[in-house]
Amino acid sequence: MSSSDDATRRAGAVLTVDLGAIAANWRGLRDAGRAAGRPVDCAAVLKADAYGCGATIVGPWLAAEGCRQFFVAHLEEGIALRKAMPEHPIYVLNGLLANTDADFVEHDLTPVLNHLGQLNAWRAAAQRFSRPLDAIIHIDTGMHRLGFGAEEAQVLINERGRLRGLRLALLMSHLVASEEPNSAINGEQLSRFRNFVRAMPGAPTSLANSSGIFLGPDYHFDLLRPGAALYGINPLPGRDNPMLPVVTLQARILQTRRIDAFQTVGYGGAWRSARPSRVATIALGYADGYFRILINRTHVHLAGYRVPVIGRISMDLVTIDVTEIPEALCETGAVVEILGPHMTADDLADHARTNAYEVMTALGRRYARVYVEPPEPEPESEEGPEITP
Ligand SMILES: Cc1ncc(COP(=O)(O)O)c(C=O)c1O
């Protein structure tokens, strides 16, 4: 028995990640970028442990599929990923912090430079290490979070010498509201980014995250930067999800008990039985990313039955009302679907008043993780889901 079998046997809850679906989603997005006939490339955003799916597994898997460029947020994420992927460019979105340039150089990581101070420090590093270093310039076109503001961008346009000793690997910006196709800010950011790109010709360019890809070819530039859609999150909120589902999460029943009418369940007595009931307790909780706000307001599935979550979410336990479910299905060890065909991360996010990004990135460290590979490695040219931006 392998250690992964052991982990699954011992675990209270198991997260299954379909690597074939991630690869198919990546191919579908790449092909959407190429649909207009331009040689658009498609990167993969692997920050926050590939949105909970496991960056050091997803990264090499997508590299084998033909993905050539990878983004993380933190330097430490880049260092961990570099060990799993010795060759591919890895870009660190949060940029260059003080006294970290040697770490970037040692691990062959490229900082996304978000202001002139970072650019100056990286140029100094290139001098100190006596070799040209790759650099990415992030232009703020409206997010007002990270990136060169308009004045600093103008300094860069006027003083190209500030890039001396650096190889400009990418000019990029990030969209504010790409999931809202009718939002005026999309067009405004597009035109600001185009103006900047025109003033800095020659470098590859990137604007679109997952939802941005669906805004159409004008937004594609040279490099797509999807994260969420790779992992099955719907890039088109309110419309049918064009991506393949990637994760399923199953938790075991630890114990089932009968209670009388008018009894409370869990901390604070936050749920009270209106009739004699059966309550099952399952093995996950808020420490695993099952949010406390889900108290009395979501459900799980057991053999296809919809089962209400009742009472407060505990750190390690959730209680469900199985009164209506055949007893034979509710025995200790029975498996309950938390995420899967009946409840996507987008659905659970609606119940938790958040978004699927938060649901995915909160997926707990205590789950046993099972990676499903397609039976045969699929050739690079094979198509993903058909996506029409
Ligand atoms: C700069 C940048 N690019 C791309 C992405 C990927 O976005 P998404 O997950 O919406 O595809 C992110 C994620 O927040 C980001 O911060």
Side-chain angles (χ1 to χ4, degrees), residues 350-382:
D350 282 347
H351 297 180
R353 302 210 175 124
T354 181
N355 63 12
Y357 293 64
E358 192 178 11
V359 169
M360 296 283 292
T361 56
L363 287 169
R365 301 279 92 215
R366 300 192 296 186
Y367 301 140
R369 280 174 157 69
V370 173
Y371 288 90
V372 180
E373 299 182 9
E376 298 269 309
E378 296 176 35
E380 195 201 324
S381 60
E382 201 150 308

Side-chain angles (χ1 to χ4, degrees), residues 45 47 51 93 145 172 174 209-210 225-228 357:
V45 177
K47 61 196 172 108
Y51 295 47
L93 288 164
R145 209 174 55 167
M172 60 167 271
H174 193 40
N209 65 331
S210 298
R225 283 195 329 268
Y357 293 64

Side-chain angles (χ1 to χ4, degrees), residues 52-283:
C53 291
T56 56
I57 292 178
V58 173
W61 182 261
L62 284 178
E65 202 62 41
C67 183
R68 290 184 297 220
Q69 298 176 73
F70 297 87
F71 288 86
V72 294
H74 289 270
L75 173 56
E76 283 294 351
E77 293 180 322
I79 292 171
L81 189 59
R82 174 56 76 218
K83 291 189 183 116
M85 285 198 316
E87 282 168 13
H88 292 75
I90 298 174
Y91 308 139
V92 178
L93 288 164
N94 281 6
L96 186 67
L97 297 182
N99 304 320
T100 60
D101 51 2
D103 302 284
F104 276 90
V105 172
E106 180 187 341
H107 298 282
D108 191 18
L109 301 169
T110 304
V112 173
L113 303 173
N114 290 310
H115 53 80
L116 278 175
Q118 289 187 341
L119 173 61
N120 293 341
W122 195 231
R123 197 181 57 242
Q127 262 169 11
R128 219 172 54 255
F129 288 93
S130 306
R131 60 172 153 121
L133 296 173
D134 281 351
I136 295 182
I137 300 289
H138 179 190
I139 296 298
D140 175 13
T141 51
M143 184 75 94
H144 300 143
R145 209 174 55 167
L146 291 178
F148 282 64
E151 275 179 29
E152 288 203 322
Q154 198 54 51
V155 171
L156 197 57
I157 291 167
N158 295 342
E159 302 171 24
R160 294 292 292 265
R162 285 177 178 265
L163 289 164
R164 198 168 299 126
L166 302 177
R167 266 190 312 250
L168 197 46
L170 195 67
L171 297 174
M172 60 167 271
S173 190
H174 193 40
L175 294 165
V176 170
S178 56
E179 70 289 358
E180 296 169 30
N182 297 326
S183 172
I185 185 86
N186 291 321
E188 291 164 19
Q189 287 191 272
L190 177 62
S191 108
R192 286 183 204 127
F193 189 56
R194 274 188 175 145
N195 288 340
F196 181 76
V197 163
R198 264 190 221 114
M200 298 276 294
T205 50
S206 175
L207 181 61
N209 65 331
S210 298
S211 300
I213 296 168
F214 293 83
L215 294 175
D218 282 354
Y219 288 78
H220 291 172
F221 293 85
D222 299 315
L223 183 69
L224 310 175
R225 283 195 329 268
L230 296 174
Y231 311 109
I233 294 175
N234 189 358
L236 305 172
R239 291 155 62 190
D240 286 345
N241 188 350
M243 312 316 298
L244 296 179
V246 167
V247 292
T248 51
L249 175 59
Q250 296 174 316
R252 290 209 173 92
I253 292 181
L254 299 171
Q255 190 173 351
T256 304
R257 66 195 325 109
R258 291 178 183 281
I259 58 169
D260 294 335
F262 314 118
Q263 299 302 303
T264 66
V265 171
Y267 285 122
W271 184 85
R272 187 179 290 276
S273 56
R275 56 180 174 171
S277 301
R278 280 186 299 118
V279 176
T281 302
I282 57 177

